Amino acid sequence: MRTLGQVRRWRWAVLIAWLAAPFAQAALQLELQPQGLSAAQSVAAERALQQVRMRMPPSWQGRFQQPVKVRWSDTLPAHVHGRARNGTITLQRALLDSVQEDQPLPRPLEAALIHELTHVLDRSPQGGWSRDARLRDLAGWQRRPWRLGRTGNAFSGRSPDDYERASPAEFLAVNAEHLLLDPDYACRRPAVAAWFADHLGPIVHAVDCDTRLPLMQAEEDAGAATLLELDPARVYGVDYLLAEGNDQLMSRWGHSMLRLVICAPGRPRGPACRMDLSHHRVLSYRAFVGDVQISSWRGLTGAYPSRLFVLPLNQVINEYTQVELRGLSSVPLALEAPDIASLLERVAQVHWSYDGRYLFVSNNCAVETGKLLQEGVPRLASPGLNRLTPRGLLSRLERLGVADASVLADRGQATRQGYYFASAEDHYQQLFDAARQQLPLGTADVGHWLRQPASERARWVEQGDLRATAALLLLEQAALRREELRARDVLKRLLGDPGNADGTARDALRALLEDTGQLISPAALVQGDGYGLPSADERVQASAAAAQLSARGVPAWQALQTQLKHRLPQAQQRELALIDSNLARLGARMRALAREDEGRVAPH
């Protein structure tokens, strides 16, 4: 007689066997069709089937409900290794010729069989994964911002096989090959590897991945960049960074960016990290102008590449508030640590692989930023973030409860806490008002003052006291930045006109733009057949290449700027020279006044 415990154990064993039966019966069965094979080829083919079956994880094998017939043929096109139709796989017979006894199977043979088995499984009632919306997001078929459907796949950089972009089904099959054959696949394409684990079961990988994410970041000097290896654990938060609009055609709706709130080394992750401004980075989609002239029409037609720039926050603040006189709002996003890690992973994939087209209307900064958020944070994909304007995207994020714009309600407090960076125009007006308290400058508006010719401003250079002179010095520096902006526009037009341009300068600028293109599209910096995120050796290679380009680019940009100044119209050259003279005289007067003050207060 069985005891009660034995009966219970017997019942559990029966139940487990009953639950496992369908998977045991449905385990992958590969049936070799030997027609047309020699005896040696049949042995090689049987060995290939056995070895690939062993590579297939049990969770994958258990999904096959029918045996899969495998036959070999010489009638496939030369560039096609295999095909799967009606549950039967046909492979190139020539793949068997390189099979050698006691040697690993040739990779093309294993890859072809894994590829076609994935197609068989995907097309079965248990499959359908290539239609999964999340997979298409990860693969690069992005959602259109203003109509149904998806865009073409622009993730062409660092791809293991261009064929993966032929269709989502081919992306699935190509990546299944690399997932099962490359030990470091999960390090190179972590998000796709995680998707496979969620949908088809986990894969055991022996490689420990470096969790730091490589990003090529711009430096302060023109033409310089370095490799940032960003640890997601140091990122406290992500803000939606909105630059206010201005009167320029391509800037009137504002500009969408993301701000990474990165903690200084050694600082615990927390709110205090918001004050570590020198460590914060900005993700900014921009049209990369790879020629010597920017055209609004070409921007409307997608002629410019869309690039994800990684910039120091301080540089962005200066660019918008000091040079373009545009305020910046930094609105925190409600993202948890796993959301941030997932988003940063997507940022790195985009940075190394994406080669989109920038269209000022339908694929602009707001559209690109929205796609980055919804692809990087899966829970944001369902409601969708496709908006055509930067303010429209912010409003959408607010309605979803993701963005908290209440931090901007009190402008003074927002400025003190680093949520708002005011345009320098208000500051300039305050400086101007301070100078006007002593000097009759003839206008009450700082904008009018800065637009005056430098010769008009020169009349007051040596008239003020220390406070007024200091204010006029800062304002003259602002006037210089504005004049340099105008000079750049003039030079772009000159260089864009073959009839007027200096051929040597034009060639030099093209070479520098080519180098810059490599720095902001860093896949070109790494040689070899690697794909996805760079390995440790590839990161060293990319860092060294960036250092070499930077060492060449910084002095070359400076030399070109000096050379091009002589190409400006005479009137503009005189204006720049007068501003330089004003600055020198104001600086000298400040030093003299400071010495006089020191003499008056010195002890006797």
Side-chain angles (χ1 to χ4, degrees):
M1 268 181 86
R2 292 191 181 101
T3 66
L4 181 60
Q6 289 174 324
V7 171
R8 285 176 174 170
R9 285 194 294 273
W10 176 79
R11 286 177 177 172
W12 275 112
V14 171
L15 178 60
I16 292 171
W18 179 77
L19 290 172
F23 295 98
Q25 293 171 2
L28 174 60
Q29 300 175 49
L30 299 177
E31 296 183 354
L32 174 64
Q33 308 297 295
Q35 293 85 353
L37 298 180
S38 65
Q41 287 176 329
S42 294
V43 171
E46 189 63 52
R47 179 186 164 206
L49 299 190
Q50 292 293 340
Q51 186 157 328
V52 169
R53 182 189 292 114
M54 292 174 60
R55 282 197 181 275
M56 299 288 284
S59 59
W60 291 33
Q61 293 197 37
R63 296 177 184 275
F64 286 89
Q65 299 297 307
Q66 301 293 333
V68 179
K69 297 179 180 180
V70 181
R71 65 188 191 91
W72 307 79
S73 171
D74 293 327
T75 62
L76 292 174
H79 66 283
V80 176
H81 283 179
R83 279 183 179 155
R85 290 191 177 155
N86 300 320
T88 297
I89 293 174
T90 303
L91 297 176
Q92 281 277 15
R93 184 158 46 192
L95 291 172
L96 295 172
D97 295 342
S98 54
V99 177
Q100 298 181 20
E101 189 176 356
D102 299 327
Q103 294 293 323
L105 282 180
R107 182 179 175 112
L109 174 54
E110 286 191 283
L113 188 48
I114 292 171
H115 186 108
E116 302 309 326
L117 282 169
T118 305
H119 280 319
V120 171
L121 195 55
D122 184 42
R123 295 166 188 167
S124 72
Q126 295 76 39
W129 297 290
S130 60
R131 298 189 296 273
D132 180 71
R134 176 62 179 160
L135 178 68
R136 294 189 178 202
D137 282 345
L138 292 173
W141 281 277
Q142 298 178 307
R143 303 170 199 229
R144 296 185 186 277
W146 54 292
R147 62 181 186 271
L148 296 177
R150 291 176 179 263
T151 66
N153 193 322
F155 283 71
S156 57
R158 290 188 58 81
S159 170
D161 185 346
D162 288 340
Y163 190 50
E164 69 174 345
R165 293 185 291 118
S167 70
E170 296 302 342
F171 180 89
L172 180 76
V174 167
N175 281 267
E177 298 172 28
H178 292 274
L179 176 72
L180 298 183
L181 295 176
D182 298 346
D184 61 347
Y185 179 87
C187 304
R188 293 183 174 275
R189 285 191 165 171
V192 184
W195 180 91
F196 271 107
D198 289 342
H199 290 78
L200 282 90
I203 307 294
V204 177
H205 290 278
V207 176
D208 290 330
C209 300
D210 188 342
T211 58
R212 297 174 303 167
L213 299 169
L215 300 171
M216 196 62 65
Q217 62 179 352
E219 294 293 340
E220 198 70 33
D221 293 326
T226 56
L227 186 69
L228 168 68
E229 297 204 76
L230 179 61
D231 182 359
R234 284 182 53 206
V235 181
Y236 168 69
V238 179
D239 288 8
Y240 181 75
L241 191 63
L242 174 65
E244 296 170 351
N246 61 17
D247 294 333
Q248 298 296 317
L249 173 63
M250 293 172 290
S251 307
R252 62 183 54 178
W253 293 288
H255 186 66
S256 295
M257 297 168 280
L258 295 179
R259 171 188 178 185
L260 304 181
V261 181
I262 303 173
C263 304
R267 186 189 294 281
R269 195 168 171 272
C273 297
R274 286 201 160 273
M275 296 298 103
D276 297 330
L277 298 187
S278 63
H279 295 275
H280 296 185
R281 293 296 179 267
V282 172
L283 309 174
S284 177
Y285 280 99
R286 301 180 178 193
F288 174 64
V289 183
D291 58 14
V292 296
Q293 186 177 14
I294 189 166
S295 159
S296 298
W297 171 251
R298 294 178 68 187
L300 290 169
T301 57
Y304 296 127
S306 180
R307 294 287 181 260
L308 181 59
F309 287 71
V310 182
L311 305 162
L313 175 64
N314 289 335
Q315 182 177 327
V316 173
I317 292 172
N318 180 68
E319 174 186 349
Y320 282 101
T321 64
Q322 300 290 326
V323 179
E324 298 192 17
L325 301 183
R326 300 162 65 181
L328 285 169
S329 298
S330 190
V331 180
L333 301 180
L335 301 180
E336 300 297 330
D339 295 329
I340 293 174
S342 176
L343 174 62
L344 295 177
E345 190 176 293
R346 184 61 176 175
V347 166
Q349 290 288 349
V350 169
H351 188 60
W352 287 90
S353 299
Y354 182 60
D355 186 26
R357 298 288 98 184
Y358 198 99
L359 292 109
F360 298 137
V361 173
S362 60
N363 198 49
N364 54 36
C365 59
V367 174
E368 293 278 36
T369 303
K371 289 188 296 188
L372 181 62
L373 284 170
Q374 65 185 18
E375 292 161 4
V377 184
R379 64 183 174 86
L380 299 181
S382 179
L385 295 175
N386 291 329
R387 291 297 182 272
L388 294 175
T389 67
R391 290 196 179 277
L393 178 55
L394 177 57
S395 297
R396 178 65 172 159
L397 290 167
E398 287 185 83
R399 287 195 297 272
L400 293 174
V402 178
D404 179 16
S406 66
V407 296
L408 303 174
D410 184 329
R411 183 58 58 86
Q413 185 174 351
T415 301
R416 290 189 295 274
Q417 295 179 344
Y419 293 116
Y420 185 74
F421 304 94
S423 162
E425 190 167 16
D426 292 341
H427 176 56
Y428 293 156
Q429 185 65 54
Q430 293 171 4
L431 290 172
F432 188 60
D433 290 341
R436 285 177 58 240
Q437 289 178 5
Q438 188 195 9
L439 301 173
L441 299 178
T443 179
D445 178 47
V446 69
H448 181 266
W449 171 261
L450 293 175
R451 288 190 296 271
Q452 287 182 344
S455 57
E456 292 293 324
R457 296 193 300 271
R459 296 191 299 120
W460 304 100
V461 163
E462 294 170 349
Q463 302 298 317
D465 61 10
L466 184 60
R467 184 166 179 263
T469 301
L472 291 178
L473 175 63
L474 293 173
L475 291 172
E476 200 65 17
Q477 290 172 347
L480 176 62
R481 285 193 290 267
R482 291 165 64 94
E483 192 61 34
E484 287 176 339
L485 274 180
R486 284 192 287 270
R488 282 201 291 269
D489 288 338
V490 171
L491 289 171
K492 280 191 297 187
R493 288 194 293 273
L494 286 172
L495 289 173
D497 183 353
N500 294 326
D502 181 331
T504 302
R506 188 183 180 90
D507 292 343
L509 181 55
R510 281 177 170 161
L512 289 171
L513 287 171
E514 184 177 340
D515 287 352
T516 302
Q518 293 183 69
L519 292 173
I520 60 175
S521 184
L525 299 179
V526 180
Q527 304 301 315
D529 57 359
Y531 63 92
L533 299 183
S535 64
D537 290 342
E538 290 171 329
R539 295 181 192 201
V540 172
Q541 186 181 349
S543 182
Q548 184 177 4
L549 288 176
S550 299
R552 181 171 74 209
V554 172
W557 275 109
Q558 292 171 347
L560 182 61
Q561 288 168 358
T562 301
Q563 177 187 351
L564 289 178
K565 278 186 178 181
H566 301 297
R567 297 283 301 163
L568 289 170
Q570 288 297 319
Q572 202 152 22
Q573 290 190 43
R574 284 195 298 271
E575 185 69 10
L576 285 168
L578 277 171
I579 294 176
D580 287 340
S581 173
N582 287 350
L583 287 170
R585 292 168 61 197
L586 285 164
R589 179 166 177 78
M590 272 196 64
R591 290 190 292 273
L593 292 172
R595 285 194 297 270
E596 290 178 9
D597 281 357
E598 289 174 2
R600 283 194 291 268
V601 300
H604 296 286

